[in-house]
Amino acid sequence: MAGKYEALALHLARLPADVERQEFSFDEVEAIVGLLPKTTRDATWWRTARGTHTIAWREVGWQVADVDPLRRTVVFERRHPKTTALRTLAFALVAVVAGIAVNATLTSPGWVTFIAVLVLAIALMWISAMLQIRHGFLWAASGVAASLVGVVVLYAVASPSVRSGPAVPSGPVKDATWEGTLGRPDQNSDLRDRQSGDLAFSPDGKLLAAALGGGRTELWMTPTPKPGALPMPLVTPLSRRVAFHPGRKSTILATTAHHMDAQSIADSEVTSLRLWALADPLKPGVISTIAHEAEPADFESDAEIMEGIAFSPDGRLVAAAVRAQIEVWDIASPGVPRLVATLRRTGDRMTELAFSPDGQTLAAATGGEVALWNVSGDRFGYRLSLPHPDGVLALAFDPVSGVLATGDNDRIFSLWDVRTGREITIRVVDDSCTIVHDLAFSTDGLTLAAACQQAVVQLWNTKDQTSSVLVKTLPTTDKPGKRSTNAIAFSPDGVTLATANADGTLKLWRLQR
């Protein structure tokens, strides 16, 4: 403490302890410290947090409570550091909670991030308390604001979970053990004649959607339901494909199906893309439906069946293969989809679709090739084709490297660099997998699963993409070699693999690394 205002500070410090407020006239203050500057006529001078005069009386535990320039009086009151610190602590805690709430809208924080935020919060609370004790409430409020900004920035920058979801096990899968069976056909089941066409986990891993080719799409709660638990059905007759919107907090499911048009009875059939709201999985609701009509004769030839569907990684677009073309819809407003592009390559029917992890490439299986389109916003430009003479039945992008895996009906799957069109590796599998019906990469991209005609799933180590190694072959029914395995899906946490067999058997496998 220094300067002529030290005398006023000492005067205040010597007041009896039971005196909480003390009023002075400007003349009395001048009698203690000497002539006051002309700026004292403005109350701001007395309340400023930066002046040496303010620091002088704050250091002895007093602050200005009121100033009346007209009466030329100033009222001082005692400051109570403990109360001030507690108040600042409360403000800072609110800021921390607000920061955590902001992060919670994205995903759950990891423990390392949580501990780091606690350390940051403690430091910022202490700084805020010191600022208020020394410089006043406005400075403390600034400290609280800094707490909020700091917490949010830390979550956004330091937590990888914000960018890519919760932490998942890493490393190639070494083994898998049977965990449970869903919809096993038996004497009491009507799944016996259904053909499981597609599988998809919800982004949070809590739901598994199964498109059953001869019946409805069904939703299963995961992990494995209790014995006897019934699936939650969606009314989508003759389902073909299912896909969940990729947003971490999204509850939108897309399905494709074909059915009779109730309005025209037997005059036409309908193939449709439908978006469902699953905020309450027990009460699914239709958000929107995109339908295409076809004459029965055409329908029987599969010319009008809507096949593959795929969401862009940002969830803004959904692509659907129908006839010999691809329709791309903007679903920023899911209730009112907007057609933004129609893509054609050859006269052959489009089947499988997949967006690359960066959203800049759309791949489509058609005839004896895989066609690639550049994606830029709502604009699509054909780039090149990857030759596949024996036809392409399965597509999957590595979520980490962006490498594309393709599978055909002649025991071959390949890995491609979609930027150059170069085939990185080609694998000829053994007789246990004569036809590859589906492909899926694990979350870390180090394991590729292949669904095979012989009712098995093969797990391949793709850590070295130039030389993939077969790790494990899993039977998907109790009678391998009967009824093909049509679909597979890895759970978002990388712990579970779901498999669907043509006889209606859905199995869950626990993965070991």
Side-chain angles (χ1 to χ4, degrees):
M1 182 172 61
K4 68 178 184 178
Y5 300 101
E6 179 179 357
L8 178 58
L10 291 175
H11 183 87
L12 291 168
R14 291 170 183 165
L15 291 173
D18 59 346
V19 175
E20 290 290 326
R21 293 169 66 91
Q22 181 67 42
E23 182 177 275
F24 295 95
S25 66
F26 288 5
D27 293 338
E28 289 173 329
V29 174
E30 287 185 330
I32 298 172
V33 303
L35 187 64
L36 291 172
K38 293 181 179 180
T39 51
T40 56
R41 298 171 184 173
D42 186 347
T44 304
W45 182 89
W46 296 93
R47 297 182 184 279
T48 182
R50 299 182 181 181
T52 56
H53 54 294
T54 306
I55 294 174
W57 53 66
R58 284 183 178 277
E59 287 185 345
V60 296
W62 288 80
Q63 65 185 8
V64 172
D66 187 37
V67 179
D68 189 340
L70 296 178
R71 293 180 55 238
R72 289 177 53 83
T73 59
V74 57
V75 178
F76 289 88
E77 66 177 2
R78 287 189 185 274
R79 305 178 72 248
H80 298 281
K82 290 185 178 179
T83 301
T84 299
L86 288 175
R87 183 168 54 184
T88 303
L89 174 64
F91 283 140
L93 283 174
V94 170
V96 173
V97 171
I100 294 175
V102 169
N103 180 72
T105 62
L106 302 174
T107 183
S108 301
W111 280 107
V112 173
T113 304
F114 183 74
I115 292 172
V117 167
L118 284 182
V119 172
L120 174 67
I122 291 171
L124 289 173
M125 284 187 288
W126 181 84
I127 293 173
S128 297
M130 293 301 101
L131 285 171
Q132 180 153 344
I133 291 172
R134 188 173 179 85
H135 296 296
F137 179 78
L138 290 178
W139 276 79
S142 299
V144 172
S147 300
L148 176 58
V149 173
V151 169
V152 174
V153 170
L154 180 63
Y155 271 116
V157 175
S159 174
S161 65
V162 172
R163 298 188 300 273
S164 58
V168 298
S170 182
V173 173
K174 297 179 180 178
D175 200 0
T177 56
W178 172 76
E179 185 178 37
T181 299
L182 311 176
R184 178 196 295 274
D186 55 33
Q187 293 180 353
N188 298 319
S189 175
D190 64 352
L191 291 174
R192 187 179 296 104
D193 297 326
R194 296 182 184 181
Q195 181 181 19
S196 300
D198 203 6
L199 290 174
F201 278 97
S202 60
D204 60 9
K206 294 180 180 179
L207 291 175
L208 174 64
L212 306 172
R216 301 173 300 178
T217 295
E218 294 183 345
L219 293 173
W220 297 84
M221 300 293 291
T222 54
T224 312
K226 295 180 180 179
L230 296 177
M232 295 170 286
L234 295 177
V235 185
T236 57
L238 305 180
S239 295
R240 304 285 294 198
R241 301 300 171 88
V242 291
F244 276 98
H245 187 281
R248 289 290 304 166
K249 298 295 182 179
S250 175
T251 57
I252 296 177
L253 173 70
T255 64
T256 65
H258 58 275
H259 50 86
M260 294 296 297
D261 184 351
Q263 298 297 323
S264 54
I265 313 298
D267 292 338
S268 65
E269 308 257 2
V270 175
T271 179
S272 64
L273 169 66
R274 183 167 290 174
L275 299 181
W276 299 82
L278 301 179
D280 181 357
L282 295 174
K283 299 178 181 179
V286 176
I287 302 174
S288 58
T289 299
I290 302 167
H292 293 270
E293 293 188 4
E295 294 300 322
D298 292 335
F299 188 75
E300 291 173 0
S301 69
D302 274 354
E304 297 293 329
I305 291 179
M306 190 174 289
E307 290 280 0
I309 51 175
F311 283 100
S312 60
D314 61 7
R316 189 177 62 85
L317 302 175
V318 61
V322 57
R323 307 182 182 95
Q325 65 187 29
I326 301 171
E327 293 180 354
V328 183
W329 297 81
D330 186 318
I331 56 168
S333 298
V336 189
R338 178 174 61 90
L339 182 65
V340 295
T342 300
L343 311 176
R344 298 178 180 85
R345 170 56 186 158
T346 66
D348 294 317
R349 184 162 54 95
M350 300 284 188
T351 54
E352 302 296 320
L353 299 178
F355 279 94
S356 61
D358 60 10
Q360 297 180 8
T361 301
L362 174 63
T366 172
E369 66 180 26
V370 176
L372 302 178
W373 282 269
N374 291 323
V375 182
S376 178
D378 293 344
R379 293 176 296 176
F380 292 76
Y382 172 76
R383 184 163 81 240
L384 55 86
S385 293
L386 310 176
H388 236 291
D390 293 307
V392 185
L393 300 181
L395 294 176
F397 274 102
D398 180 337
V400 178
S401 69
V403 165
L404 177 66
T406 60
D408 68 13
N409 57 9
D410 192 22
R411 301 190 305 170
I412 291 178
F413 77 81
S414 302
L415 300 180
W416 305 81
D417 182 343
V418 296
R419 295 170 299 179
T420 62
R422 181 177 65 89
E423 192 171 27
I424 299 173
T425 185
I426 181 172
R427 302 296 298 182
V428 179
V429 296
D430 56 32
D431 290 337
S432 67
C433 191
T434 56
I435 298 177
V436 180
H437 285 286
D438 196 12
L439 292 169
F441 275 100
S442 59
T443 309
D444 59 10
L446 299 179
T447 301
L448 176 65
C452 303
Q453 174 71 20
Q454 282 67 30
V456 298
V457 168
Q458 293 187 345
L459 299 178
W460 293 79
N461 180 338
T462 54
K463 185 174 183 179
D464 181 358
Q465 295 177 336
T466 61
S467 180
S468 303
V469 178
L470 179 62
V471 175
K472 186 80 173 181
T473 298
L474 309 174
T476 57
T477 70
D478 296 332
K479 298 179 180 180
K482 304 292 184 182
R483 309 299 294 273
S484 65
T485 305
N486 285 3
I488 48 180
F490 284 95
S491 62
D493 61 9
V495 173
T496 303
L497 175 69
T499 64
N501 196 264
D503 65 1
T505 303
L506 279 68
K507 284 190 174 183
L508 299 182
W509 303 82
R510 176 70 60 171
L511 304 175
Q512 287 91 44
R513 288 173 167 79

